[in-house]
């Protein structure tokens, strides 16, 4: 009897194995037929079954991986990310053709599952109409920004007072983030936070951690396999909790505004938006509502805070690495402004070398190396290939900002890239750290103002150096933005 059960068990065992093998072959065959590269698509690396090219790219250096692939497959190539095809475009002329000449065809953003689950109406990640107040009232918003970018109001940074900071090295990360975030708080909320405020510090850390996870492999896996990833634990769940906390923070501010709101006195972004909601009340097609206000405020923090603070961290590190460039910046500031007069945006035209350094730091810092994705809303001809409607397009800004055909010394900090023979500031067409075309970064104007006033005023009053015996490390940490590794610097007052 035992032998009969043994034989029967072996038969069943073998039958299960054959069934599993058949199922696996069926799935792989179906995957191959469904997802094989169409003939009209540009070339690209061979895709693995099910996951495609998800693991072809090194997500700790995504921009470098994509630039290397362009060297193999050309300026326009394709990747299969899970079950979806994406196109990667490289080099300035190709990006210009796509985003400027055919900008209407790539004006939309893809509905990435992770962003959709966080918010169905995210400004930087949606198709357009919900961008509302940022486009209907750009002059009012920029004027609010200017009014809050008075250098005297933020130059009393706690760590740069005339004390012994030159003796004791410190990490400027949190200090810079606090200073820049408070500008956005003034613009959005109408008030600043004390640097020791625990809620404020939490807000800054939420953005820092959320953006790091947002650029990781976990986000890519979530977007490729949302049905599965929604049910699995991991950092992709953590990032949703982080953004929920940020939105709750903003909702609390909106609640306070509504209690004290006066339509005749629009103090900040929230007041402007509440006014828009009131004026459009009853319109069937309006996208102005409180939830969209929350997301719009959130986007202003990302566009006007994170990018600026990260660029400033690169700027401080580069000034410590290249003291001769720092000295030239300070000499120009001393000659044009002096060390006592407060600078303004009008001084920028008189400070061409300083302006060139800021732009070159932006180029080298390359803080949004592959920009935000686009999606085609109709068939597009690009680089000799047909990109069908509904395909995600990734614009590799690194391939432009580090192109040896566009820049004399692409891998070295060289302010001369932005100066002509007479020493006047010039901006090459290939300088596109904010992308280009119809979906250029909505925070560009604000970021430019912030960078100039923060950096120039700091150089006017202080000198940056590395701690004794320490050499600057120019490596990076990649998330949604590309940031320098943590470092320490010394700061000496120039007024002593």
């Amino acid at each position: 009897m035992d032998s009969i059960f043994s034989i029967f068990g072996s038969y069943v065992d073998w039958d299960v194995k054959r069934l599993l093998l058949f199922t696996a072959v069926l799935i792989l065959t179906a995957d191959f037929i469904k997802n094989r590269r169409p003939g009209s698509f540009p070339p690209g690396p061979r895709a693995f079954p099910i996951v495609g090219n998800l693991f072809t790219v090194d997500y700790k250096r995504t921009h470098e991986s994509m630039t290397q692939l362009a060297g193999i497959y050309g300026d326009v190539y394709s990747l299969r990310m899970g079950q979806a095809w994406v196109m990667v475009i490289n080099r300035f002329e190709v990006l210009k053709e796509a985003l400027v000449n055919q900008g209407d065809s790539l004006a939309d953003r893809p509905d990435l599952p992770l962003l959709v689950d966080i918010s169905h109406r995210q400004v930087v990640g949606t198709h357009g109409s919900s961008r509302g107040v940022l486009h209907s009232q750009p002059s009012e918003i920029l004027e609010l920004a200017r009014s809050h970018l008075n250098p005297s109001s933020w130059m009393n940074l706690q760590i740069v007072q005339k004390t012994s900071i030159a003796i004791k090295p410190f990490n400027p990360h949190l200090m810079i983030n606090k200073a820049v975030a408070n500008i956005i708080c003034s613009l959005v909320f109408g008030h600043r936070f004390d640097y020791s405020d625990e809620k404020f510090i939490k807000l800054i850390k939420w953005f820092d951690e959320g953006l790091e996870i947002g650029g990781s492999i976990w986000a890519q896996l979530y977007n490729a396999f949302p049905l599965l990833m929604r049910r699995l634990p991991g950092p992709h769940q953590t990032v949703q909790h982080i953004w929920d906390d940020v939105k709750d923070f903003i909702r609390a501010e909106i609640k306070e505004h509504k209690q004290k709101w006066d339509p005749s006195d629009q103090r900040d972004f929230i007041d402007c938006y509440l006014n828009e909601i009131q004026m459009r009340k009853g319109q069937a097609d309006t996208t102005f509502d409180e939830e969209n206000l929350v997301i719009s405020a959130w986007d202003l923090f990302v566009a006007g805070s994170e990018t600026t603070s990260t660029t400033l961290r690169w700027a401080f590190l580069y000034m410590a690495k290249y003291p001769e460039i720092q000295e030239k910046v300070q000499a120009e500031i001393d000659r044009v402004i002096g060390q006592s007069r407060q600078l303004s945006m009008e001084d920028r035209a008189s400070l061409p070398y300083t302006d060139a350094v800021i732009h070159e730091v932006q180029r080298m810092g390359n803080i949004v190396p592959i920009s935000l994705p686009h999606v085609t809303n109709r068939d597009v001809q690009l680089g000799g290939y047909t990109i069908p409607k509904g395909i995600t397009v990734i614009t590799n800004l690194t391939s432009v900002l580090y192109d040896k055909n566009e820049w004399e010394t692409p891998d070295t900090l060289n302010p001369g890239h932005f100066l002509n023979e007479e020493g006047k500031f010039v901006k090459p067409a290939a300088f596109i750290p904010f992308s280009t075309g119809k979906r250029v970064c909505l925070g560009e104007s604000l970021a430019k103002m912030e960078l100039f006033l923060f950096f120039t005023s700091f150089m006017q009053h202080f000198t940056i150096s590395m701690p004794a015996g320490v050499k600057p490390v120019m490596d990076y940490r990649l998330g949604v933005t590309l940031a320098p590794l943590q470092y320490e610097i010394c700061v000496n007052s120039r007024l002593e």
Side-chain angles (χ1 to χ4, degrees):
M1 184 66 69
D2 288 343
S3 61
I4 293 175
F5 280 117
S6 178
I7 294 171
F8 180 76
S10 299
Y11 175 79
V12 172
D13 220 22
W14 174 241
D15 212 40
V16 170
K17 289 179 181 178
R18 283 195 297 179
L19 178 61
L20 291 175
L21 179 62
F22 173 78
T23 303
V25 171
L26 181 64
I27 290 173
L28 293 176
T29 302
D31 180 78
F32 173 78
I33 294 172
K34 176 187 175 185
N35 296 305
R36 61 183 173 181
R37 185 178 277 107
S40 64
F41 275 21
R46 180 175 294 179
F48 292 99
I50 311 300
V51 297
N53 296 113
L54 272 174
F55 298 102
T56 302
V57 176
D58 181 354
Y59 292 97
K60 291 185 178 179
R61 54 184 198 93
T62 306
H63 57 303
E64 293 182 9
S65 288
M66 290 186 171
T67 303
Q68 289 169 0
L69 289 171
I72 300 172
Y73 299 103
D75 294 331
V76 182
Y77 64 86
S78 57
L79 295 172
R80 202 189 109 195
M81 310 305 279
Q83 301 296 295
W85 285 99
V86 302
M87 304 295 150
V88 183
I89 59 177
N90 304 267
R91 213 167 51 81
F92 177 61
E93 290 304 323
V94 180
L95 266 70
K96 181 181 176 183
E97 172 64 25
L99 301 182
V100 179
N101 299 346
Q102 301 190 62
D104 287 337
S105 301
L106 287 98
D108 292 344
R109 301 289 190 198
D111 291 323
L112 300 176
L114 182 57
L115 290 183
V116 169
D117 285 356
I118 292 170
S119 167
H120 293 282
R121 297 172 289 182
Q122 187 180 14
V123 174
V124 296
T126 53
H127 301 295
S129 63
S130 65
R131 301 173 79 194
V133 72
L134 297 179
H135 288 261
S136 63
Q137 296 182 315
S139 59
E140 287 93 333
I141 295 302
L142 284 180
E143 194 53 45
L144 279 170
R146 290 179 194 277
S147 69
H148 292 296
L149 279 171
N150 185 336
S152 64
S153 66
W154 48 259
M155 271 314 299
N156 62 342
L157 303 181
Q158 293 176 347
I159 57 94
V160 293
Q161 296 171 355
K162 292 183 181 179
T163 57
S164 58
I165 53 174
I167 299 173
K168 186 177 180 181
F170 69 97
N171 185 336
H173 184 174
L174 189 56
M175 176 274 290
I176 294 174
N177 281 14
K178 286 178 179 179
V180 176
N182 246 341
I183 297 298
I184 304 301
C185 287
S186 295
L187 171 63
V188 177
F189 302 145
H191 66 87
R192 299 167 185 268
F193 289 90
D194 187 273
Y195 283 180
S196 61
D197 189 305
E198 291 185 4
K199 291 193 302 180
F200 181 50
I201 295 172
K202 276 186 179 180
L203 180 68
I204 292 170
K205 290 183 177 180
W206 285 334
F207 273 99
D208 197 46
E209 186 179 356
L211 290 171
E212 182 179 2
I213 298 173
S216 70
I217 182 62
W218 293 99
Q220 302 302 323
L221 287 170
Y222 195 102
N223 290 329
F225 306 106
L227 292 177
L228 173 64
M229 297 301 287
R230 285 183 185 119
R231 292 160 174 78
L232 294 178
H236 54 287
Q237 303 291 355
T238 302
V239 75
Q240 295 191 61
H241 294 311
I242 288 172
W243 294 133
D244 284 343
D245 289 337
V246 170
K247 289 187 288 184
D248 287 342
F249 187 100
I250 296 171
R251 288 188 187 102
E253 289 284 342
I254 294 172
K255 184 178 180 181
E256 288 187 19
H257 272 66
K258 289 175 66 178
Q259 292 172 349
K260 304 175 183 177
W261 184 52
D262 179 358
S264 64
D265 180 21
Q266 297 186 24
R267 303 157 295 174
D268 48 43
F269 178 80
I270 291 178
D271 280 351
C272 290
Y273 207 107
L274 289 174
N275 190 56
E276 289 286 333
I277 292 174
Q278 187 66 30
M279 289 193 303
R280 296 167 188 260
K281 208 167 187 178
Q283 295 181 9
D285 61 345
T286 183
T287 58
F288 287 85
D289 56 48
E290 287 188 28
E291 189 58 25
N292 212 12
L293 169 54
V294 172
I295 304 304
S296 296
W298 173 28
D299 282 321
L300 272 175
F301 272 96
V302 175
S305 178
E306 170 62 25
T307 54
T308 301
S309 59
T310 301
T311 303
L312 285 169
R313 287 165 59 199
W314 279 116
F316 282 21
L317 186 58
Y318 275 115
M319 291 304 95
K321 180 177 176 64
Y322 297 102
E324 68 280 6
I325 293 178
Q326 182 176 193
E327 288 174 8
K328 288 183 181 180
V329 168
Q330 291 171 328
E332 181 180 68
I333 293 171
D334 291 348
R335 185 173 64 254
V336 175
I337 303 174
Q339 293 187 8
S340 58
R341 178 172 74 81
Q342 180 179 302
L343 68 100
S344 68
M345 284 302 299
E346 286 67 34
D347 290 314
R348 184 163 62 177
S350 303
L351 299 167
Y353 187 80
T354 302
D355 206 11
V357 169
I358 294 171
H359 281 72
E360 180 67 351
V361 166
Q362 286 181 271
R363 184 190 71 82
M364 288 288 291
N366 186 27
I367 64 167
V368 190
I370 56 173
S371 192
L372 293 171
H374 299 253
V375 65
T376 53
N377 54 40
R378 61 176 71 97
D379 290 359
V380 175
Q381 299 296 320
L382 196 61
Y385 302 100
T386 299
I387 302 178
K389 177 181 177 180
I391 295 294
T392 296
V393 176
I394 295 174
T395 54
N396 183 9
L397 300 186
T398 304
S399 69
V400 178
L401 298 177
Y402 278 76
D403 188 346
K404 63 182 179 182
N405 296 314
E406 301 287 350
W407 310 96
E408 182 182 355
T409 58
D411 299 313
T412 304
L413 190 78
N414 178 7
H417 288 146
F418 295 89
L419 297 168
N420 63 17
E421 293 180 357
E422 290 77 39
K424 294 183 178 180
F425 177 82
V426 292
K427 187 171 73 171
F431 179 73
I432 54 170
F434 297 99
S435 191
T436 187
K438 292 182 176 295
R439 294 306 293 260
V440 68
C441 173
L442 60 84
E444 179 177 1
S445 297
L446 177 59
K448 285 179 177 178
M449 288 191 290
E450 289 178 316
L451 285 173
F452 176 76
L453 292 176
F454 268 89
F455 178 78
T456 306
S457 190
F458 205 95
M459 288 293 97
Q460 181 185 23
H461 294 90
F462 305 100
T463 296
I464 299 169
S465 61
M466 296 301 296
V470 177
K471 292 184 178 181
V473 175
M474 310 309 292
D475 208 350
Y476 57 80
R477 183 206 74 185
L478 182 63
V480 173
T481 58
L482 191 151
L485 298 180
Q486 300 295 336
Y487 64 86
E488 291 190 337
I489 54 171
C490 296
V491 174
N492 283 300
S493 172
R494 300 183 67 222
L495 303 180
E496 294 178 343

